[in-house]
Amino acid sequence: MNLFLIYLTGFLIHLIVSMELNTVSPITPYLATYFNIADSSVISLSLGFSLIGFYVPFFGLWADKHGKKKYISLSLVSFIIGALISGFSSTPLIFALGRTFLGFGYFSLNASVISYISDFVPYNKRGRASGILRIAFGIAILISPLYGTFIVNTFDNIKGIYMPFAIIAFICLILLNKLPESKQTNNKSINTKDVLDIIKDPMGLKLLIIQFLSITSPYIFFSYLGVYLSNDFNLSQLNIGLTYTILGCGTVIGVTLSTFISDKIGKEKFTKIFYTLMVIAIIPIAYVKSIPAFIILATLYAIGIDGGWSAYQAICTEAFPEKRTTFMTLLSFTNALMISLFSIIGPYLYALNGYKLILTISSISSALALLIFLNVTKKDI
């Protein structure tokens, strides 16, 4: 078994799916002009991306029965198709269709790759494994804004953004072919009832709620950040990209610390510390009036949320070992539910009271995630 090749393949997969997701928000003003739609409506193009995530748990059941490697391959094919459609799209409808295929790839791969790796790595080293994948996410956040901004400013199209994603995904398919199949559950009768059993389980339900709240906070924060920086601070597309990149440094710091420290001090303790930092940093952001102050607080917020969430993902891999992919895809389902919800109501919330309301919702979500996690670790984990 070649752990290096397993990590490399997982790293590349997380890099491209995270880059695609994090390239869209910084170029929101460009996409609005490119497709001739309102800035606040660009997030609606992700509705199909998120809705397809509702079906991912059923594929997770299949993966636990028949093998996660096969499921990862299927997900990569969907991602490639989506990248090709989005890259060559000329209307918002076609772009949204492409992002639907990308959404299946994103939600499936986010769940199945960590689940696959967990079959080869013991729990006491899984914080590092999760951290390596989150470093890919951190790098994506760091370079995606500059990558997307450079492409649209230089070539004035989105084809140049999506073609490299399709090529790297194809390379990952080749690498995946050289990897072993993962463990399959001994319970071949596993079915949709198992999904409901996990949801009915008190600890499982709380973990899913924490996931929903944890992802809500950064998703709405970053989805409207580009519009906020453009409208309220009159930043250019290039400076918006630079701001996203600076905040990406916080993500890299957070996930790097999680990779090398969470297993040593304990993943639960690490998550508590970094989620607390997340809450402390985000609450005052709505009241700052300068870009430097905003960047400092937002960077601390990124350190907290991404460091804490990386350790939290490692915790979740051991919550239901025999149904690992099923549970991890349920976590992806909560992500899809959140993205769908805010794709629909997000534009109305922003129109109601701008970015200040978005920040208020983000702050409340962060605080609730921390409080419930403290409750879960006290009683259940």
Side-chain angles (χ1 to χ4, degrees), residues 137-305:
F137 176 79
I139 293 173
I141 284 187
L142 194 63
I143 65 176
S144 294
L146 292 180
Y147 169 72
T149 300
F150 172 78
I151 295 297
V152 298
N153 283 343
T154 304
F155 302 104
D156 193 24
N157 64 54
I158 54 177
K159 185 192 307 181
I161 292 176
Y162 283 96
M163 291 309 99
F165 293 155
I167 293 170
I168 296 175
F170 183 74
I171 293 173
C172 289
L173 265 178
I174 296 174
L175 293 175
L176 189 65
N177 189 54
K178 301 180 181 295
L179 300 181
E181 182 54 272
S182 62
K183 299 175 184 176
Q184 300 173 24
T185 180
N186 294 323
N187 182 10
K188 292 298 181 181
S189 64
I190 188 170
N191 53 44
T192 54
K193 182 179 178 294
D194 293 279
V195 174
L196 297 177
D197 288 341
I198 291 175
I199 295 174
K200 291 177 182 178
D201 182 276
M203 183 185 71
L205 180 59
K206 289 177 183 177
L207 291 175
L208 291 172
I209 292 173
I210 293 169
Q211 176 83 353
F212 180 89
L213 294 169
S214 298
I215 298 302
T216 293
S217 181
Y219 178 76
I220 61 175
F221 180 92
F222 286 105
S223 291
Y224 287 96
L225 179 57
V227 178
Y228 171 67
L229 294 174
S230 176
N231 294 343
D232 288 47
F233 291 99
N234 199 30
L235 294 189
S236 65
Q237 181 66 68
L238 178 60
N239 286 329
I240 291 172
L242 288 172
T243 301
Y244 269 88
T245 298
I246 293 172
L247 301 188
C249 293
T251 293
V252 173
I253 292 170
V255 297
T256 301
L257 290 173
S258 177
T259 301
F260 296 105
I261 297 178
S262 64
D263 285 329
K264 294 180 180 179
I265 70 172
K267 288 176 270 293
E268 292 88 355
K269 182 178 180 180
F270 186 92
T271 302
K272 291 175 185 177
I273 294 172
F274 276 70
Y275 269 23
T276 300
L277 173 62
M278 165 186 71
V279 174
I280 293 173
I282 194 171
I283 290 175
I285 288 180
Y287 304 99
V288 300
K289 303 296 182 182
S290 69
I291 283 292
F294 175 87
I295 288 176
I296 290 172
L297 288 171
T299 301
L300 290 174
Y301 167 73
I303 293 172
I305 179 61

Side-chain angles (χ1 to χ4, degrees), residues 78-127:
S78 178
F79 185 85
I80 292 170
I81 293 172
L84 293 173
I85 293 174
S86 293
F88 287 97
S89 63
S90 57
T91 68
L93 183 61
I94 298 300
F95 181 77
L97 174 64
R99 295 215 76 229
T100 301
F101 282 94
L102 287 165
F104 178 80
Y106 172 80
F107 290 115
S108 297
L109 292 167
N110 257 324
S112 57
V113 171
I114 182 62
S115 180
Y116 174 79
I117 292 176
S118 295
D119 284 344
F120 303 102
V121 178
Y123 180 69
N124 63 350
K125 295 182 180 179
R126 217 168 286 164

